[in-house]
């Protein structure tokens, strides 16, 4: 886990030079641009396992050895990251996502931009918002990130919805307050990726369910040139519509949970 810290004067000057060399200064204020997706690259999800996740059940074909409630994992590679992980946020967007209900077979059906979603006609006993065709519609916040590991870093996307919307808003608020780590005033906020953020899983309790959720905190500045270059390149790919989410990696038992005790 990275720790938040103030940089020395020498470190600040070195980082300012790095921002200038990489053209990151020119990206000030770009965090909230709209993005579109394409089929050029299927990005895995960084997901949080719940007690009812099939990946935690030895009797399930989707079981992952070592998987347990509160562990973060990669939905494509099945890599487990533990209960804490460090990320570098790169880009963000929101969408309304349509899913077939789990009891009807589950499955991703598509998404709609905010304001363009079909009307919700009912809310069922499991607190799911339903469309006229019986499918569920979920308000979803996508965070495109680089996962920082001991071996390096790798791209992923977090699709946060339902009870995860609150921590997503907290992360958004923290990034909105970000300053340039080198303390140089540039008139606009820095792009997301000049800071690392830590995530840890925390237990929560609703009126009906016990589950684990995301907790974000700001970490250390990103000072590694390769990481900054990768973050910049990924953001540009997302902006150009060259990245899509690997929704096919979200099996029905995870993506179509009908309560908060299963993973999304």
């Amino acid at each position: 886990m990275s720790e938040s810290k103030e940089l020395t004067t020498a470190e600040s000057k070195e980082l300012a030079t790095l921002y200038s060399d990489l053209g990151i200064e020119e990206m000030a204020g770009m965090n909230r641009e709209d993005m579109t997706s394409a089929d050029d690259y299927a990005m895995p999800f960084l997901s949080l396992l719940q007690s009812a996740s099939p990946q935690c059940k030895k009797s399930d074909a989707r079981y992952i050895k070592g998987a347990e409630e509160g562990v973060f994992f990669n939905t494509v590679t099945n890599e487990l990251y533990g209960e804490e992980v460090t990320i570098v946020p790169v880009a963000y967007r929101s969408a309304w996502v349509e899913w077939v209900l789990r009891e009807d077979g589950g499955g991703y059906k598509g998404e709609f931009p905010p304001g363009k979603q079909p009307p919700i006609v009912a809310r069922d006993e499991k607190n799911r918002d339903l469309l006229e065709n019986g499918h569920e519609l979920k308000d979803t916040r996508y965070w495109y990130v680089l996962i920082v590991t001991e071996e390096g870093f790798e791209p992923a996307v977090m699709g946060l919805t339902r009870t995860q919307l609150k921590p997503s808003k907290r992360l958004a608020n923290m990034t909105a307050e970000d300053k340039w780590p080198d303390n140089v005033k540039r008139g606009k906020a820095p792009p997301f990726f000049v800071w690392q953020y830590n995530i840890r899983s925390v237990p929560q309790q609703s009126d009906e369910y016990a589950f684990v959720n995301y907790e974000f905190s700001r970490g250390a500045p990103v000072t590694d040139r390769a990481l900054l270059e990768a973050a910049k390149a990924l953001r540009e790919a997302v902006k150009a519509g060259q990245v899509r989410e690997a929704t096919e990696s979200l099996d029905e038992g995870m993506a179509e949970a009908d309560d908060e005790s299963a993973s999304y």
Side-chain angles (χ1 to χ4, degrees):
M1 300 285 284
S2 67
E3 296 182 359
S4 183
K5 68 172 184 176
E6 296 293 330
L7 299 181
T8 65
T9 300
E11 288 173 330
S12 294
K13 290 181 178 179
E14 183 177 352
L15 196 53
T17 300
L18 185 57
Y19 290 157
S20 179
D21 289 346
L22 294 178
I24 291 176
E25 290 180 331
E26 301 170 7
M27 302 183 73
M30 291 184 176
N31 285 342
R32 296 297 185 260
E33 294 182 357
D34 292 335
M35 323 262 176
T36 58
S37 61
D39 292 333
D40 294 354
Y41 172 73
M43 184 172 291
F45 281 84
L46 173 63
S47 189
L48 178 58
L49 292 170
Q50 305 288 341
S51 60
S53 297
Q55 293 80 7
C56 298
K57 299 179 179 180
K58 292 184 178 181
S59 59
D60 197 294
R62 294 159 291 185
Y63 171 71
I64 303 172
K65 185 177 181 180
E68 60 184 27
E69 179 185 31
V71 168
F72 295 96
F73 87 111
N74 182 308
T75 62
V76 172
T77 66
N78 285 342
E79 180 177 357
L80 303 174
Y81 300 106
E83 296 181 354
E84 298 182 352
V85 65
T86 296
I87 62 167
V88 175
V90 173
Y92 165 89
R93 72 181 181 89
S94 61
W96 288 88
V97 183
E98 181 180 350
W99 296 93
V100 177
L101 297 180
R102 181 172 61 166
E103 57 266 35
D104 294 332
Y108 171 86
K109 298 300 292 182
E111 64 175 55
F112 308 89
K116 301 294 185 180
Q117 71 272 20
I120 295 169
V121 299
R123 176 167 290 181
D124 69 7
E125 69 281 358
K126 296 176 180 177
N127 208 33
R128 298 176 297 188
D129 292 325
L130 303 180
L131 300 175
E132 188 174 5
N133 60 9
H135 296 167
E136 182 180 8
L137 192 65
K138 291 183 179 181
D139 182 5
T140 305
R141 312 301 164 90
Y142 290 110
W143 288 91
Y144 301 84
V145 305
L146 290 172
I147 303 170
V148 180
T149 67
E150 293 182 357
E151 292 75 28
F153 46 84
E154 55 197 57
V157 60
M158 299 185 297
L160 305 183
T161 187
R162 296 183 67 171
T163 58
Q164 299 161 353
L165 291 178
K166 183 175 289 187
S168 175
K169 290 177 182 178
R170 172 167 169 74
L171 177 58
N173 289 337
M174 286 190 291
T175 59
E177 297 170 356
D178 279 347
K179 309 295 183 184
W180 288 91
D182 59 3
N183 295 317
V184 174
K185 294 182 179 180
R186 296 178 172 86
K188 291 184 179 179
F192 294 136
F193 57 78
V194 300
W195 287 97
Q196 299 179 68
Y197 277 82
N198 302 317
I199 321 173
R200 70 186 185 102
S201 61
V202 293
Q204 290 191 357
Q205 177 74 51
S206 69
D207 291 340
E208 300 180 59
Y209 307 109
F211 58 100
V212 288
N213 209 341
Y214 296 70
E215 183 177 85
F216 296 97
S217 61
R218 186 182 291 111
V222 178
T223 58
D224 180 75
R225 185 183 187 94
L227 183 53
L228 284 169
E229 288 177 334
K232 181 182 177 184
L234 178 56
R235 178 179 174 80
E236 289 172 350
V238 173
K239 181 179 178 181
Q242 297 170 343
V243 173
R244 73 172 179 85
E245 302 79 28
T247 52
E248 66 275 10
S249 70
L250 298 178
D251 60 69
E252 65 189 63
M254 179 179 63
E256 296 307 307
D258 59 7
D259 60 57
E260 303 302 347
S261 65
S263 177
Y264 289 100

